[in-house]
Amino acid sequence: MGNILFLLGLTLIIGPAKTALFFARRQKLKGTAAFASGILLILLRWPLIGFLVELYGLFILFGDFLGTIGGFARNIPVIGPYIANGLERVGGARRNVELPV
């Protein structure tokens, strides 16, 4: 249910045309296929494997945003610098890359 609500929320925020273009971009097809396969596996009662496949797909789809999220997280008091450093390590410091939307 959360996956469907995520897709609906994304569609409401950026619009149906931009959502379709985002998921259909050539460099995002691998992530889109993994995300859709994860949803299908969850619906077919393989929740753990489906969740892991879906998580991989989300990382491929939205990994470019980790640097941006790290910039915002840096402003959180006390734990902000730790969150930002962790996101920069995971994302490979992809800051200032072309955003997909």
Side-chain angles (χ1 to χ4, degrees), residues 69-83:
I69 294 169
F72 286 117
R74 189 170 279 124
N75 295 327
I76 298 173
V78 181
I79 61 169
Y82 301 109
I83 294 172

Side-chain angles (χ1 to χ4, degrees), residues 22-23 25-36 52-66 90-91 94 98 100:
F22 175 76
F23 284 105
R25 286 179 47 191
R26 185 179 189 111
Q27 56 268 42
K28 300 290 184 182
L29 285 178
K30 185 177 177 182
T32 302
F35 184 71
L52 294 175
V53 170
E54 188 177 323
L55 189 64
Y56 171 74
L58 282 174
F59 182 73
I60 297 296
L61 285 170
F62 297 103
D64 297 338
F65 292 117
L66 289 178
V90 170
R94 302 180 192 177
E98 177 187 336

Side-chain angles (χ1 to χ4, degrees), residues 4-48:
I4 297 168
L5 291 175
F6 168 73
L7 292 173
L8 287 173
L10 187 65
T11 304
L12 287 173
I13 290 173
I14 65 174
K18 285 188 177 182
T19 301
L21 286 174
F22 175 76
F23 284 105
R25 286 179 47 191
R26 185 179 189 111
Q27 56 268 42
K28 300 290 184 182
L29 285 178
K30 185 177 177 182
T32 302
F35 184 71
S37 299
I39 292 174
L40 183 66
L41 285 170
I42 289 172
L43 292 174
L44 293 174
R45 295 184 172 208
W46 288 72
L48 181 61

Side-chain angles (χ1 to χ4, degrees), residues 78-100:
V78 181
I79 61 169
Y82 301 109
I83 294 172
N85 287 337
L87 287 174
E88 287 176 4
R89 286 183 187 159
V90 170
R94 302 180 192 177
R95 189 176 293 162
N96 294 330
V97 204
E98 177 187 336
L99 294 177

